[in-house]
Amino acid sequence: MSRTQHKTNNFRRQMVFLSLISVILLATLFIGVTTAQSKEYIPPTYEYTTNYYRGYGVPDIHASVVGDTYFDRGETANVNVILSNRGILHGFKSVTDVEGDKAKQALAMKELEYETKRTIAYGIKASLVSPNDYIEIESSTNGQILEKLVPGNLPLRPMTFTIEISDNAPAGDYILFLPVSYEYQEDVRMTGGRTIQLGLPDMDHATYYNNSNITLQIPIHVEKEAEFEVVDVDGELVAGEESLIEVTYRNVGELTAEGALARVVVMDPLSIGSSTASLGTLEPGEEHTVSFNVNSEVMAVVKEYAIDSEIRYIDEDGDYAFSDNMKINVPMQSSDKWIGITQISLLLTLLITIYLVVDSIRKKKK
């Protein structure tokens, strides 16, 4: 080979190399453009295609939560999840020699452009799963879908999942699972117009996709708080009388409740003079007993009554907080000092019957 031919070949290799670099840069800028091939068609087999380059790089899907991840017991809240794609295009390897063939070189350059899309995730599907009974996921918010996720681009809006936290959930950290499935471009091969022979549209390339599944973790936190329950009730109601009812409350939560005030709500046939009683400061696990004077109407039905009760207290932030409603179950007894309505009715009926019988006998004697 002459010196002139050698210089010419070197110049051509440099021009091809520069052209490759230019194509890669342009393709990276316009990576969001969808593939030319429609996924409505099954790609042809390899014998009808030619592969010029092998690309390296796949999607790398991550999840992050937008907004607050701290929740209270008994709360129904939304968890907003943003998916991101950190996939990196690591490079390409030439697998078919195209030196000296301008037509093949053009096809190779075109394939190289398509190969840059291999890190895009398509048809993303995600559902939130709770591995424990304390947190439930509302089914109507599951099955979220994204059309595609391009590296470096975030979705316009997050995936929103609704969760329900049990009243009995212990405070602490919880992990929810987010299974994600998607497709990505595994390989691109040039067809050279041979797809028409198979009855397919005239496509210059065929794209082969691979399915991928990944499970991501979504951390949330259930906050500590004071929580109460009724542990003992002493006393009973008596129809037509005022009764002393003693109620013992326990702080079963993790935080101290300061300035706690118990309040009861009664309805007919019950009434109460003072509906509140001070519990003072309740440390976690501590119990306090308070009493209420409850009046019952004389006509009150003998049964067990459920009296509503709640506690107002000052939380760790110095704000007023209220407990959930608690039931105080108290039985009703009849009074020995009063004649019940049934007994009065029977007595009146008996007297009327006796009077009618006596009056009838007198009339017959006359």
Side-chain angles (χ1 to χ4, degrees):
M1 180 183 298
S2 68
R3 181 176 301 179
T4 302
Q5 289 177 327
H6 181 72
K7 288 182 179 180
T8 301
N9 289 337
N10 285 339
F11 176 78
R12 287 178 178 175
R13 291 191 184 97
Q14 291 175 359
M15 291 302 296
V16 169
F17 177 77
L18 291 174
S19 299
L20 289 175
I21 296 299
S22 300
V23 169
I24 293 173
L25 292 175
L26 288 173
T28 303
L29 290 174
F30 297 101
I31 195 170
V33 180
T34 57
T35 56
Q37 176 199 7
S38 172
K39 293 179 64 178
E40 296 177 0
Y41 304 100
I42 299 175
T45 57
Y46 279 5
E47 62 182 304
Y48 292 94
T49 63
T50 302
N51 193 30
Y52 294 99
Y53 284 97
R54 182 178 295 118
Y56 297 92
V58 294
D60 184 15
I61 308 299
H62 292 257
S64 57
V65 179
V66 179
D68 197 4
T69 58
Y70 281 66
F71 305 102
D72 296 324
R73 294 187 185 94
E75 184 177 359
T76 298
N78 290 332
V79 177
N80 298 310
V81 178
I82 285 283
L83 293 183
S84 61
N85 186 353
R86 304 178 189 175
I88 297 175
L89 197 59
H90 296 289
F92 308 94
K93 180 180 179 180
S94 175
V95 293
T96 299
D97 185 17
V98 296
E99 186 174 356
D101 191 325
K102 291 184 178 180
K104 289 184 178 180
Q105 287 177 359
L107 289 174
M109 297 288 284
K110 194 66 176 177
E111 181 184 325
L112 190 63
E113 179 182 343
Y114 295 139
E115 287 282 0
T116 61
K117 299 177 176 65
R118 64 180 296 112
T119 55
I120 300 176
Y122 296 95
I124 302 100
K125 299 178 181 178
S127 295
L128 196 61
V129 178
S130 172
N132 59 73
D133 296 331
Y134 294 119
I135 300 174
E136 293 185 359
I137 314 299
E138 190 172 307
S139 59
S140 62
T141 63
N142 254 333
Q144 304 266 349
I145 297 175
L146 284 176
E147 181 181 351
K148 67 178 180 179
L149 199 55
V150 179
N153 292 352
L154 294 178
L156 295 177
R157 57 183 61 89
M159 295 180 170
T160 299
F161 303 93
T162 300
I163 64 172
E164 297 179 4
I165 302 174
S166 169
D167 292 329
N168 301 317
D173 296 321
Y174 291 82
I175 296 295
L176 304 178
F177 295 116
L178 187 73
V180 178
S181 63
Y182 59 92
E183 291 182 327
Y184 67 93
Q185 177 181 295
E186 184 181 31
D187 193 14
V188 173
R189 301 171 68 95
M190 303 306 290
T191 64
R194 285 172 286 181
T195 54
I196 299 179
Q197 304 173 24
L198 303 175
L200 297 175
D202 186 13
M203 301 177 293
D204 67 341
H205 72 288
T207 305
Y208 302 85
Y209 292 90
N210 193 18
N211 295 319
S212 184
N213 297 281
I214 185 173
T215 298
L216 307 174
Q217 295 186 355
I218 305 297
I220 68 169
H221 182 84
V222 176
E223 294 196 281
K224 295 180 179 180
E225 61 181 6
E227 188 177 6
F228 307 92
E229 65 179 21
V230 174
V231 295
D232 187 45
V233 179
D234 187 23
E236 60 183 17
L237 302 171
V238 180
E241 297 183 10
E242 181 180 81
S243 306
L244 181 67
I245 306 300
E246 294 184 336
V247 184
T248 301
Y249 296 94
R250 177 187 295 156
N251 182 358
V252 295
E254 301 86 5
L255 298 180
T256 300
E258 297 183 354
L261 187 72
R263 186 175 76 97
V264 297
V265 178
V266 299
M267 300 179 67
D268 291 339
L270 306 180
S271 61
I272 193 169
S274 176
S275 61
T276 60
S278 176
L279 288 164
T281 298
L282 281 173
E283 300 285 346
E286 190 174 2
E287 299 177 3
H288 282 183
T289 301
V290 292
S291 59
F292 301 95
N293 292 314
V294 182
N295 297 294
S296 308
E297 294 181 1
V298 67
M299 303 299 184
V301 178
V302 175
K303 66 171 188 175
E304 186 173 82
Y305 287 81
I307 299 174
D308 291 320
S309 167
E310 68 176 5
I311 295 177
R312 188 196 72 183
Y313 63 98
I314 299 175
D315 62 20
E316 62 177 349
D317 297 323
D319 299 324
Y320 282 116
F322 293 86
S323 71
D324 293 330
N325 183 64
M326 295 169 283
K327 295 292 185 181
I328 302 172
N329 297 312
V330 188
M332 173 73 75
Q333 302 294 333
S334 60
S335 174
D336 296 334
K337 299 179 182 179
W338 298 88
I339 301 177
I341 187 66
T342 303
Q343 294 170 308
I344 294 175
S345 300
L346 290 174
L347 181 59
L348 289 174
T349 302
L350 179 61
L351 290 174
I352 292 171
T353 302
I354 294 173
Y355 171 78
L356 292 174
V357 171
V358 172
D359 185 62
S360 178
I361 293 173
R362 284 178 180 175
K363 288 180 179 180
K364 287 182 180 181
K365 288 182 179 180
K366 291 180 179 180

